[in-house]
Amino acid sequence: MSRKVFFDTDPGCDDAVMLAMALGHDAIDVVGLSTVCGNTTIENTTRNAHAILDIGGYDVPVSQGCGRPLVDDLTTAEWIHGENGLRGDIPDADGDTRDIHGADAIIEAAYEYGDELTIAAVGPLPNLALALAKEPRLPDLVEDIYLMGGAAMTTGNVTPMAEANFHNDPAAASRVLQDANTRMVGLDVTNRATVSSEFIEEFRTAGGVRATVAEWLDYRPDSGTYPLADAPAIHDAAVVADLVDDSVLTFEEYYLEVDTTGGPCHGAVICDEHDTTDNDPNSRVAVDIDVARYRDVLETGLQAYATQ
């Protein structure tokens, strides 16, 4: 039986890969999408979500969410993800965006599907933070809540200590960690969530949809050079890989906080790795990844997406 998943996302090239592999996998039933600002503006992330669905021929409800962080100024990353936030041959697919805010769409899905639903929030977190403020029972209503963000026991990727999604909206990330016992899939594992250059080249030379997906896979402007591995890390895809095969990621429980003070560690995760406080764990943190299994799930999903 397929797993019902609602994605809160800011497409974005790695978001596009994640959505494509989720749509392609029979094990995942994508019941809805909410968009959020992050990799690019909210107008672009919403348009990109529709384009990803259109390219693969899928019909999934899309709701537009927050167009700025709860507190901080918006910082986007088109220089990484491309003009309008998504590389490749992208159709002009505005789609039919629902007349409901992304935060309310999350709550609505929780009411409709209950404990059959998993929420996967893979961008900045203002939509999920607002949903939790409006419906504090949300974590108890659903099966699970996954986050792609943070760096618990490693360094950051936009500042020396902070990961991009959490740094984009530290106040929202702090609220989510306080209010929901999440599965945090951060840079501790996603830096190793790479895809082989051979697979990228196979898709690039195949043309058509596969060539577009190859652009999403090899999205860094310094294509061919990667700071922490010999291949591009598709961070968000690690979440879907674990939803399909729960042996991909290994989780351990820790107490986490997010620095919201505005200093050099703004947006960084503080992880009580050595249990030096009296605080009970409030998150399950991904600490290891089976890269071979991850790649198998990713490649299977993308092949299916590209052949729809």
Side-chain angles (χ1 to χ4, degrees):
M1 186 172 64
S2 59
R3 187 169 189 172
K4 299 183 186 303
V5 184
F6 185 101
F7 287 98
D8 184 51
T9 178
D10 63 330
C13 290
D14 59 330
D15 302 75
V17 172
M18 176 212 66
L19 289 173
M21 64 185 286
L23 292 163
H25 262 288
D26 290 338
I28 302 292
D29 177 10
V30 182
V31 300
L33 306 177
S34 56
T35 58
V36 65
C37 60
N39 289 321
T40 185
T41 64
I42 188 64
E43 293 79 15
N44 286 340
T45 61
T46 304
R47 186 181 307 114
N48 293 345
H50 284 296
I52 294 159
L53 295 170
D54 185 68
I55 289 169
Y58 294 91
D59 183 16
V60 176
V62 177
S63 302
Q64 182 168 296
C66 292
R68 58 156 294 173
L70 296 182
V71 176
D72 292 15
D73 293 332
L74 174 62
T75 302
T76 59
E78 288 89 354
W79 69 276
I80 291 178
H81 294 272
E83 185 179 1
N84 300 321
L86 194 58
R87 298 183 182 276
D89 185 13
I90 306 303
D92 185 13
D94 289 333
D96 184 16
T97 304
R98 299 183 65 209
D99 188 21
I100 179 174
H101 191 277
D104 293 314
I106 293 171
I107 297 169
E108 179 187 74
Y111 289 160
E112 180 173 355
Y113 298 108
D115 60 8
E116 295 180 0
L117 182 71
T118 295
I119 297 168
V122 297
L125 296 172
N127 289 342
L128 185 54
L130 289 176
L132 286 162
K134 296 184 73 171
E135 178 47 276
R137 298 175 301 163
L138 186 66
D140 298 321
L141 294 174
V142 301
E143 179 183 2
D144 220 337
I145 300 176
Y146 276 74
L147 311 178
M148 190 281 118
M153 290 166 278
T154 190
T155 51
N157 62 355
V158 291
T159 73
M161 295 307 296
E163 178 274 335
N165 285 338
F166 279 26
H167 185 264
N168 191 294
D169 197 338
S174 177
R175 179 64 181 260
V176 170
L177 291 186
Q178 290 175 47
D179 288 1
N181 181 21
T182 63
R183 292 186 183 271
M184 194 191 89
V185 182
L187 299 181
D188 308 84
V189 295
T190 67
N191 281 334
R192 290 180 283 143
T194 60
V195 59
S196 71
S197 57
E198 293 81 7
F199 182 76
I200 296 173
E201 192 58 27
E202 174 192 332
F203 264 46
R204 196 189 314 278
T205 57
V209 173
R210 284 179 171 81
T212 297
V213 174
E215 292 296 305
W216 301 343
L217 289 164
D218 202 16
Y219 63 95
R220 289 187 62 88
D222 52 349
S223 182
T225 60
Y226 309 102
L228 296 171
D230 61 357
I234 312 299
H235 299 276
D236 294 341
V239 168
V240 167
D242 196 68
L243 291 172
V244 173
D245 179 351
D246 63 8
S247 65
V248 169
L249 298 177
T250 301
F251 290 88
E252 295 178 355
E253 291 188 330
Y254 292 101
Y255 176 76
L256 304 179
E257 293 183 4
V258 177
D259 188 327
T260 60
T261 59
C265 291
H266 191 57
V269 172
I270 299 98
C271 176
D272 189 8
E273 180 182 2
H274 302 295
D275 196 24
T276 57
T277 72
D278 293 328
N279 297 311
D280 293 330
N282 62 357
S283 294
R284 293 152 290 165
V285 177
V287 296
D288 199 9
I289 182 171
D290 186 324
V291 176
R293 287 182 179 271
Y294 160 81
R295 287 184 173 183
D296 181 63
V297 175
L298 179 143
E299 292 175 9
T300 300
L302 292 183
Q303 291 283 14
Y305 171 84
T307 55
Q308 290 296 315

